[in-house]
């Protein structure tokens, strides 16, 4: 009987979520925009084979000057269109890995602090507070300076500086849910803490976490752009932030060099924020018409 | 109210110690030290000189000895010496602090004013065209890197139109006084403040809208309407005042983010503030300076959060009770 209840509850929940998502215009627009960027990132190698950092054209071609390089070229003769396509790959990869790191650390800390509470919870929240008090962007700069500005280190730095948001959210969810009837039931059936956390509480705490994840990815893209703008980017990897940073020198003679990567960043961050807003509307328990 | 702030201050002490130890250990992970950079820049130095320099700045001691020495120094309110500039860290930081504070207070003030006004408008006309138009504009602003808006503003107002300066915090070589000096400073501050504020304008507008929609559903708002208060009075006294609680909590939390974001804005506009000093310290492996900056900016964040607590106690007197 228990298994029957456990099986029906998630199905009804996810069906109502899917219909709510499909009826939500901002979620649909956001998902479509994000899909376009993902396709561009996946096809970057096919559309623009070869290294996007190679000098291939006359320097400072304006968009439209040469049909072969329809978005123009920068001061070193690199193809801007190739840079944008390959940059999509770099920016998304860094942002997704940073968010994964942040969700893993924050989820673990938040789950432990929220489920167990007590001394352990206090200590964990203190650590959380330390990370929230240090200006996070400065922390990112310091961590990137410790390692070298490679893709992995940048993702790690952004992840390390942004996990407290996740930890606080997960802790709040776990604190409410650990008193719920179905958790008491699972406990009285003799489930282990691990099983209760992973199989009972986590699926029910997932909704706000999904919303936060999409916003965290958007924030990570903005942080990466800022970091690359300061010159702290992987020199072997095309990225929108790095394009912005190098195009800044030619702001007077070729403003398209800063405008184009900027527009690319806005496009993908807007997509993620639209998706996040749509998910929030669809998953917010206060607004959701719950089907029992 | 003073009891409240004293309690918060006590609670902050372990946080500050945690920050100190975390930063200290983190900075020692950076490969190379200030003496390496100094030696590299002066085109090499003999082994004896390197040893002499290291012992001068205390870099030859063991990690724990260095930490202990730093803590003892700190107990005497001494942040140590910056190897890079050969000046006391406190002097360097205090020189730059007013510039950064000016930038941040300006940006935060602008963001709160515009953000709360836009959020109130959106919540008041929710679902109708002012809400839709503003929501779209705010979402666009929320998705745009502030420094990109800064760059585009530099292009338009400095390069094309020539109305505003795009570098530094005052015109060099001019000895201005009185109103002319103020005008000069203001002109230099407009673009950096705007570039730093954009993201937070959008953030506070979204927060205010969400918080007001939440509050509008409460019973006491219906009561206020039922007893015949004007719509303006209901919004300003009953809805907005309560909606400002979550907004002020997050404004306090964002202060740390704003301080970090200032690093990019300051680099973009050549603004001599803490953010740029941080970058210089990172590049020259100047741990003492970096540690001092991180420590002082964290303490600034703690102080701001205490101020936010006091503000909240004023907004909602019930919070003082516990």
């Amino acid at each position: 009987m228990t298994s029957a209840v456990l099986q029906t509850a998630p199905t009804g929940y996810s069906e109502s979520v899917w219909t709510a998502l499909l009826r939500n215009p901002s979620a649909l627009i956001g998902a479509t925009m994000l899909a376009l960027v993902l396709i561009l990132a996946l096809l970057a190698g096919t559309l623009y084979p070869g290294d996007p950092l190679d000098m291939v054209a006359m320097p400072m071609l304006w968009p439209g000057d040469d049909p072969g390089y329809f978005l123009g070229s920068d001061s070193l003769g690199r193809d801007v269109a190739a840079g944008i396509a390959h940059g999509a790959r770099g920016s998304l990869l860094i942002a997704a890995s940073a968010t994964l790191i942040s969700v893993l650390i924050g989820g673990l800390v938040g789950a432990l602090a929220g489920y167990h509470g007590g001394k352990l919870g206090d200590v964990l929240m203190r650590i959380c507070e330390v990370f929230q008090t240090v200006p996070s962007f400065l922390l990112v700069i310091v961590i990137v300076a410790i390692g070298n500005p490679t893709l992995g280190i940048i993702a790690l730095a952004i992840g390390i500086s942004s996990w407290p948001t996740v930890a606080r959210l997960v802790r709040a969810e776990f604190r409410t849910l650990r008193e719920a009837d179905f958790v008491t039931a699972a406990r009285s059936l003799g489930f282990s803490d691990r099983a209760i956390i992973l199989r009972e509480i986590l699926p029910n705490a997932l909704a706000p976490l999904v919303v936060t994840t999409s916003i965290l990815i958007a924030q990570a893209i903005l942080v990466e752009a800022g970091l690359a703008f300061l010159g702290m980017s992987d020199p072997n990897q095309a990225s929108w932030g790095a394009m912005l940073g190098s195009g800044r020198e030619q702001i007077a003679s070729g403003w398209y060099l800063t405008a184009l990567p900027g527009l690319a960043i806005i496009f993908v961050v807007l997509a993620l924020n639209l998706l996040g807003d749509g998910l929030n509307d669809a998953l917010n328990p206060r607004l959701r018409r719950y089907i029992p | 109210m003073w009891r409240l702030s004293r309690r918060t201050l006590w609670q902050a002490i372990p946080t500050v110690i945690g920050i100190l130890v975390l930063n200290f250990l983190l900075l020692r992970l950076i490969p190379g030290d200030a003496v390496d950079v100094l030696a590299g820049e002066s085109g090499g130095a003999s082994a004896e000189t390197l040893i002499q320099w290291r012992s001068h700045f205390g870099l030859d001691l063991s990690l724990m000895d260095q930490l202990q020495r730093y803590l003892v120094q700190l107990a005497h309110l001494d942040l140590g010496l910056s190897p890079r500039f050969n000046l006391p860290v406190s002097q360097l930081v205090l020189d730059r602090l007013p510039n950064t504070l000016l930038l941040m207070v300006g940006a935060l003030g602008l963001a709160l004013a515009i953000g709360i006004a836009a959020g109130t408008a959106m919540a008041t006309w929710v679902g109708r065209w002012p809400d839709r138009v503003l929501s779209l504009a705010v979402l666009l602003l929320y998705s745009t890197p502030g420094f990109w808006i800064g760059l585009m503003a530099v292009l338009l107002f400095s390069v094309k139109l020539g109305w505003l300066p795009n570098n530094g915090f005052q015109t060099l070589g001019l000895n201005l006084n009185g109103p002319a000096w103020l005008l000069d400073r203001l002109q230099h501050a407009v673009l950096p403040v705007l570039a730093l504020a954009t993201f937070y304008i959008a953030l506070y507008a979204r927060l205010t809208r969400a918080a007001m929609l939440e509050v509008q559903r409460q019973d006491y708002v219906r009561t206020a309407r039922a007893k015949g208060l004007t719509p303006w009075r209901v919004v300003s006294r009953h809805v907005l005042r309560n909606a400002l609680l979550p907004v002020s909590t997050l404004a306090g939390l964002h202060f740390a983010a704003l301080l970090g974001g200032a690093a990019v804005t300051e680099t973009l506009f050549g603004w001599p503030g803490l953010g740029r000093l941080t970058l210089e310290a990172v590049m020259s492996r100047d741990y003492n300076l970096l540690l001092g900056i991180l420590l002082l900016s964290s303490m600034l964040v703690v102080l701001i959060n205490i101020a936010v607590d006091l503000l909240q106690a004023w907004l909602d007197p019930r919070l003082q009770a516990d």
Side-chain angles (χ1 to χ4, degrees):
Chain A
M1 209 186 113
T2 328
S3 64
V5 171
L6 284 177
Q7 271 166 13
T8 48
T11 348
Y13 174 82
S14 60
E15 265 175 15
S16 70
V17 165
W18 279 118
T19 35
L21 266 184
L22 287 177
R23 252 187 278 130
N24 190 307
S26 61
L28 279 181
I29 298 173
T32 315
M33 285 165 71
L34 189 63
L36 287 176
V37 181
L38 278 174
I39 291 172
L40 180 68
L42 288 175
L43 293 184
T46 324
L47 289 173
Y48 299 97
D51 193 345
L53 301 176
D54 279 347
M55 301 160 198
V56 288
M58 289 273 294
M60 299 302 284
L61 283 176
W62 272 71
D65 275 358
D66 183 335
Y69 306 100
F70 76 105
L71 288 183
S73 67
D74 71 1
S75 59
L76 293 175
R78 294 177 295 200
D79 186 359
V80 174
I84 298 257
H86 283 267
R89 195 179 268 191
S91 291
L92 285 180
L93 202 61
I94 290 178
S97 356
T99 307
L100 186 69
I101 293 168
S102 152
V103 167
L104 283 180
I105 305 178
L108 189 68
V109 170
L112 286 176
Y115 185 74
H116 292 291
K119 273 262 177 330
L120 177 70
D122 283 349
V123 170
L124 288 176
M125 281 303 108
R126 279 266 167 239
I127 298 176
C128 205
E129 209 166 287
V130 167
F131 277 87
Q132 273 189 316
T133 312
V134 182
S136 64
F137 193 71
L138 298 188
L139 191 63
V140 172
I141 292 177
V142 169
I143 297 176
V144 174
I146 293 174
N148 284 316
T150 60
L151 221 129
I153 296 278
I154 293 169
L156 186 74
I158 300 176
I160 286 180
S161 70
S162 61
W163 66 267
T165 321
V166 184
R168 287 193 174 270
L169 179 90
V170 172
R171 171 173 171 265
E173 289 293 316
F174 269 59
R175 267 160 72 107
T176 344
L177 287 172
R178 79 170 172 201
E179 310 297 342
D181 286 342
F182 65 89
V183 174
T184 319
R187 211 175 279 138
S188 61
L189 284 171
F191 285 17
S192 68
D193 278 356
R194 223 182 81 131
I196 293 176
I197 288 180
L198 289 180
R199 295 225 306 265
E200 303 294 321
I201 302 185
L202 195 61
N204 286 288
L206 223 48
L209 196 59
V210 169
V211 176
T212 310
T213 305
S214 71
I215 293 166
L216 276 177
I217 300 179
Q219 297 301 321
I221 291 178
L222 292 180
V223 172
E224 189 272 333
L227 205 59
F229 182 73
L230 294 180
M232 302 180 109
S233 63
D234 194 334
N236 303 315
Q237 169 78 42
S239 115
W240 294 337
M243 291 174 76
L244 261 180
S246 64
R248 178 192 158 204
E249 308 296 326
Q250 286 88 37
I251 183 89
S253 54
W255 55 265
Y256 64 96
L257 288 174
T258 37
L260 290 174
L263 290 174
I265 293 172
I266 296 173
F267 188 82
V268 68
V269 175
L270 187 64
L272 285 159
N273 283 332
L274 278 169
L275 190 62
D277 283 359
L279 283 169
N280 193 32
D281 289 346
L283 300 173
N284 191 334
R286 255 186 278 259
L287 301 174
R288 189 175 65 219
R289 278 175 226 91
Y290 184 69
I291 308 157
Chain B
M1 185 170 275
W2 291 116
R3 232 187 39 228
L4 181 85
S5 58
R6 228 183 5 246
R7 198 189 61 206
T8 330
L9 204 57
W10 271 116
Q11 282 174 348
I13 288 176
T15 311
V16 172
I17 294 176
I19 291 166
L20 200 74
V21 175
L22 169 84
N23 288 335
F24 191 87
L25 296 178
L26 206 58
L27 294 189
R28 279 347 187 239
L29 290 174
I30 302 184
D33 62 16
V35 169
D36 289 333
V37 176
L38 283 176
E41 279 176 6
S42 61
S46 70
E48 291 87 54
T49 325
L50 287 184
I51 291 170
Q52 205 186 341
W53 281 353
R54 286 219 164 81
S55 87
H56 177 61
F57 296 116
L59 291 167
D60 53 345
L61 302 170
S62 78
L63 191 63
M64 279 301 132
D65 284 343
Q66 284 190 37
L67 178 60
Q68 194 195 358
R69 193 171 135 153
Y70 190 77
L71 289 176
V72 170
Q73 265 184 2
L74 209 59
H76 295 93
L77 295 180
D78 178 8
L79 288 172
L81 206 64
S82 151
R84 173 72 184 174
F85 296 91
N86 211 7
L87 284 170
V89 168
S90 47
Q91 187 194 331
L92 282 166
V93 173
L94 289 180
D95 274 357
R96 301 286 189 102
L97 189 63
N99 286 331
T100 296
L101 277 182
L102 178 75
L103 202 59
M104 290 173 65
V105 171
L108 200 61
L110 190 71
L112 283 171
I114 302 180
I116 292 175
T120 310
M122 290 186 324
T124 311
W125 288 289
V126 63
R128 281 181 278 164
W129 69 263
D131 179 34
R132 284 171 195 273
V133 172
L134 277 175
S135 288
L136 188 68
V138 161
L139 192 66
L140 261 175
L141 211 55
Y142 189 62
S143 309
T144 311
F147 64 86
W148 187 78
I149 297 183
L151 272 171
M152 293 294 120
V154 164
L155 176 70
L156 182 63
F157 294 111
S158 305
V159 178
K160 299 279 181 210
L161 296 172
W163 289 354
L164 291 167
N166 65 356
N167 199 33
F169 72 119
Q170 59 186 5
T171 311
L172 292 174
L174 283 180
N175 244 336
L176 294 169
N177 284 308
W181 173 82
L182 193 67
L183 186 70
D184 181 53
R185 292 293 302 260
L186 277 178
Q187 279 182 340
H188 279 86
V190 171
L191 290 182
V193 164
L194 201 70
L196 192 56
T198 51
F199 178 78
Y200 296 91
I201 292 175
L203 189 71
Y204 296 140
R206 283 163 63 92
L207 275 172
T208 308
R209 178 180 184 271
M212 281 184 74
L213 289 182
E214 195 87 357
V215 175
Q216 270 172 1
R217 282 203 287 264
Q218 305 287 326
D219 287 341
Y220 60 79
V221 174
R222 197 169 40 192
T223 311
R225 277 207 194 96
K227 73 180 182 189
L229 292 184
T230 57
W232 165 244
R233 209 166 158 73
V234 173
V235 166
S236 61
R237 290 281 300 177
H238 293 264
V239 180
L240 189 59
R241 185 165 176 162
N242 285 293
L244 284 183
L245 276 176
V247 175
S248 61
T249 307
L250 284 163
L253 277 178
H254 289 139
F255 195 79
L258 201 62
L259 199 59
V264 183
T265 314
E266 285 172 6
T267 309
L268 172 55
F269 290 100
W271 187 269
L274 275 187
R276 261 183 56 194
L277 192 64
T278 313
L279 283 175
E280 284 168 36
V282 168
M283 295 312 163
S284 56
R285 304 284 183 246
D286 192 335
Y287 309 133
N288 260 356
L289 182 55
L290 205 48
L291 208 51
I293 295 172
L294 286 172
L295 190 67
L296 276 186
S297 47
S298 307
M299 276 163 66
L300 201 60
V301 173
V302 170
L303 285 179
I304 294 296
N305 281 318
I306 292 174
V308 169
D309 279 351
L310 293 178
L311 177 72
Q312 290 193 326
W314 175 74
L315 279 171
D316 187 350
R318 281 173 304 177
L319 291 175
Q320 270 183 57
D322 31 79

